[in-house]
Amino acid sequence: MTQDELKQQVGRAAANYVLSNVAHGAVLGVGTGSTVNFFIDEVAAFKDRFRGAVSSSNASTARLRAHGFEVLELNDIETLPVYVDGADEIDAAGHMIKGGGGALTREKIVAMVAQTFVCIVDESKRVDLLGAFPLPVEVIPMASAAIARRFVDLDGQPTLRVAKDGSTFVTDNGNWVLDVHGLRIPDPVGLEAEVNNWPGVVTVGLFARRGANISLLGTKEGVHRIDY
């Protein structure tokens, strides 16, 4: 199976999960990325079962609306039973690196509100130790050089993310992203707490203090559910 086929099967499994576990009239939390796009496409056929969705990015909002979903503001939602999103890496404890698409801050906010975080990934994202994927960090632009120096002190190799047109990548929140290469992260909870306390950091792409509750892992043998 190709990677896209693996993503499609896990997107379908996530749609089946919410149809079986989320009450009629509830609001879905929807993340960002290529695997989530397959989930959106799969669940769209049942959109009338749900009051609407809360989205973590402008791109996902546009895709949801194109399928006829009502996209709601998180501030108007009291309960969010489930949040479905992908990850760039996930370990055996459900700790993740996220933010390859640049939506890490909004993703973390929606994940904080959700009762259950369902992470949907193909088997290439499962790792024993986080850090092979460069760690995304959303930063206030004026702090980017100072934050980069802090990561160098941790033996990281930070680079400023560049958009496809060669300009500096700008998040939906108007900030920049540092991608930190070369880290090995044996204590993701501790590193998340430390980096989030640095002035100028908006969000670090470690989802460890609020990790996944469930992962749906796409493999050539089918989709495996893992509970944490």
Side-chain angles (χ1 to χ4, degrees):
M1 298 178 70
T2 67
Q3 190 172 33
D4 275 350
E5 288 171 334
L6 291 174
K7 291 178 179 181
Q8 185 173 27
Q9 79 167 354
V10 80
R12 184 177 301 116
N16 290 334
Y17 173 87
V18 300
L19 290 171
S20 299
N21 293 278
V22 177
H24 285 252
V27 177
L28 297 179
V30 179
T32 302
S34 56
T35 308
V36 171
N37 286 342
F38 283 113
F39 164 68
I40 293 171
D41 295 345
E42 292 287 341
V43 81
F46 308 96
K47 63 181 182 295
D48 293 338
R49 282 194 47 169
F50 305 102
R51 177 183 164 198
V54 170
S55 165
S56 68
S57 71
N58 294 340
S60 289
T61 293
R63 197 178 193 96
L64 286 162
R65 285 178 173 159
H67 279 297
F69 270 97
E70 182 177 1
V71 180
L72 305 169
E73 294 293 332
L74 185 62
N75 286 330
D76 298 328
I77 302 302
E78 294 183 2
T79 60
L80 195 64
V82 66
Y83 176 54
V84 178
D85 202 358
D88 299 299
E89 287 186 341
I90 185 168
D91 69 12
H95 303 144
M96 296 166 283
I97 286 180
K98 292 175 49 55
L104 57 161
T105 297
R106 297 189 185 190
E107 290 171 346
K108 189 168 284 191
I109 292 168
V110 181
M112 172 187 69
V113 175
Q115 296 170 12
T116 301
F117 188 142
V118 178
C119 180
I120 54 174
V121 288
D122 66 81
E123 59 188 340
S124 69
K125 308 298 176 61
R126 180 72 183 270
V127 299
D128 294 325
L129 184 69
L130 298 176
F133 189 91
L135 177 64
V137 186
E138 183 167 350
V139 299
I140 301 296
M142 70 170 289
S144 59
I147 298 301
R149 289 192 293 269
R150 297 290 293 267
F151 277 110
V152 171
D153 291 341
L154 296 180
D155 297 325
Q157 301 148 28
T159 60
L160 188 62
R161 187 176 296 186
V162 176
K164 291 180 179 180
D165 64 3
S167 63
T168 299
F169 177 87
V170 178
T171 70
D172 290 347
N173 308 311
N175 298 311
W176 294 354
V177 173
L178 292 171
D179 291 307
V180 187
H181 302 251
L183 294 176
R184 294 176 59 82
I185 308 175
D187 180 15
V189 173
L191 184 62
E192 180 180 5
E194 177 184 352
V195 174
N196 275 338
N197 280 328
W198 294 350
V201 170
V202 179
T203 306
V204 60
L206 281 167
F207 285 58
R209 296 170 67 87
R210 202 287 181 249
N213 301 108
I214 298 167
S215 68
L216 299 175
L217 184 71
T219 75
K220 294 179 175 60
E221 291 75 38
V223 176
H224 300 299
R225 171 173 167 166
I226 303 170
D227 292 83
Y228 304 100

